[in-house]
């Protein structure tokens, strides 16, 4: 399976490592044509305002929106922010509007308030997995069609939405910073049904 990882800014290298451990080929995405061989795409954490600006500059905003009509996207942290419909406290990011949620940026505080803890997954199976929250957003509103796959202190931290047969995934935490591959493995299953 070939998966793209948006490599304009932020935490893309660790996502690539996690995918390689699951026997995927990884393509670093820097321009629209890089998307051609990919069966799915990860938008990593970083800084959503910068990510969004660089996507626009590289004409990747429109290319990714088109890609998302046919293939799954997985946004982590800033990646989730960029995929959301509404972003509180931010005028500078142009959201891709693929996940019908509202998010509040930096909702746990600044970098020093970053933490690792266990979250409660409901899907793909009920279990606890470790998760890094780094200047993480909170999902403040989950609208119709969005499914909550996991919670931390009862708040949704991983969600999915199916749009015309394609399921997109988003997490407020960084699954790529732990050795637990559950979330990446689940994303690959979402990509695989389309092969
Ligand atoms: N706080 C960052 C933002 O608003 C996201 C942080 C992250 O991706 N780890 O974009």
């Amino acid at each position: 399976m070939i998966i793209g990882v948006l490599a304009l800014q932020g935490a893309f290298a660790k996502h690539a490592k996690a995918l390689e451990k699951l026997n995927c080929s990884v393509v670093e995405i820097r321009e629209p044509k890089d998307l051609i061989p990919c069966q799915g795409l990860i938008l990593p954490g970083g800084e959503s305002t910068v990510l969004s600006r660089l996507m626009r500059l590289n004409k990747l905003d429109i290319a990714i929106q088109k890609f998302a009509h046919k293939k799954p996207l997985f946004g982590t942290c800033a990646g989730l922010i960029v995929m959301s419909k509404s972003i509180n406290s931010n005028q500078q990011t142009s959201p891709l509007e693929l996940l019908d949620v509202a998010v509040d940026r930096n909702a746990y505080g600044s970098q020093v308030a970053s933490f690792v803890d266990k979250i409660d997954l409901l899907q793909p199976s009920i279990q606890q997995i470790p998760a890094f929250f780094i200047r993480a957003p909170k999902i403040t509103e989950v609208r119709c069609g969005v499914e909550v796959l996991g919670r931390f202190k009862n708040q949704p931290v991983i969600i999915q939405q199916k749009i015309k047969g394609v399921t997109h995934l988003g997490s407020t935490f960084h699954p790529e910073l732990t050795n637990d591959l559950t979330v990446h493995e689940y994303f690959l299953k979402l990509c695989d049904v389309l092969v």
Side-chain angles (χ1 to χ4, degrees):
M1 172 143 14
I2 304 175
I3 301 292
V5 180
L6 187 65
L8 297 175
Q9 192 255 347
F12 56 86
K14 289 258 163 74
H15 275 295
K17 287 231 162 73
L19 291 168
E20 277 158 4
K21 279 191 200 155
L22 293 165
N23 299 321
C24 273
S25 299
V26 176
V27 179
E28 292 189 353
I29 307 295
R30 297 197 171 82
E31 52 182 322
K33 72 171 172 44
D34 300 333
L35 289 167
I36 294 167
C38 300
Q39 287 155 262
L41 173 67
I42 292 185
L43 306 187
E47 191 56 45
S48 53
T49 49
V50 180
L51 204 58
S52 174
R53 185 148 32 93
L54 291 175
M55 279 164 61
R56 217 167 32 244
L57 277 175
N58 292 278
K59 300 194 168 52
L60 272 163
D61 49 350
I62 292 166
I64 290 174
Q65 246 154 353
K66 274 197 193 141
F67 181 87
H69 290 152
K70 298 211 170 100
K71 312 213 175 127
L73 256 59
F74 174 25
T76 58
C77 206
L80 161 74
I81 296 171
V82 169
M83 285 171 71
S84 302
K85 275 233 169 113
S86 346
I87 307 168
N88 308 340
S89 66
N90 184 346
Q91 312 303 322
Q92 297 153 305
T93 304
S94 335
L96 294 172
E97 302 192 358
L98 294 166
L99 296 169
D100 201 357
V101 290
V103 293
D104 194 3
R105 294 181 62 213
N106 303 316
Y108 297 90
S110 64
Q111 185 73 23
V112 288
S114 298
F115 60 97
V116 58
D117 210 329
K118 291 253 165 83
I119 63 152
D120 301 307
L121 269 193
L122 309 164
Q123 265 191 59
S125 60
I126 295 181
Q127 59 175 308
Q128 288 200 320
I129 58 162
F132 278 85
F133 291 84
I134 302 170
R135 287 180 301 115
K138 277 187 186 166
I139 297 170
T140 52
E141 227 182 288
V142 173
R143 303 191 187 120
C144 193
V146 175
E147 230 179 306
V148 175
L149 305 186
R151 294 179 185 271
F152 174 65
K153 296 194 171 160
N154 227 16
Q155 288 201 317
V157 291
I158 176 162
I159 50 148
Q160 71 179 19
Q161 184 162 22
K162 196 173 196 173
I163 308 169
K164 293 188 182 148
V166 183
T167 304
H168 301 302
L169 187 64
S171 69
T172 61
F173 59 91
H174 287 254
E176 79 285 5
L177 297 181
T178 70
N179 290 323
D180 191 306
L181 296 170
T182 310
V183 176
H184 286 85
E185 208 166 10
Y186 178 69
F187 178 60
L188 294 185
K189 284 205 183 109
L190 297 181
C191 299
D192 204 29
V193 288
L194 302 159
V195 179

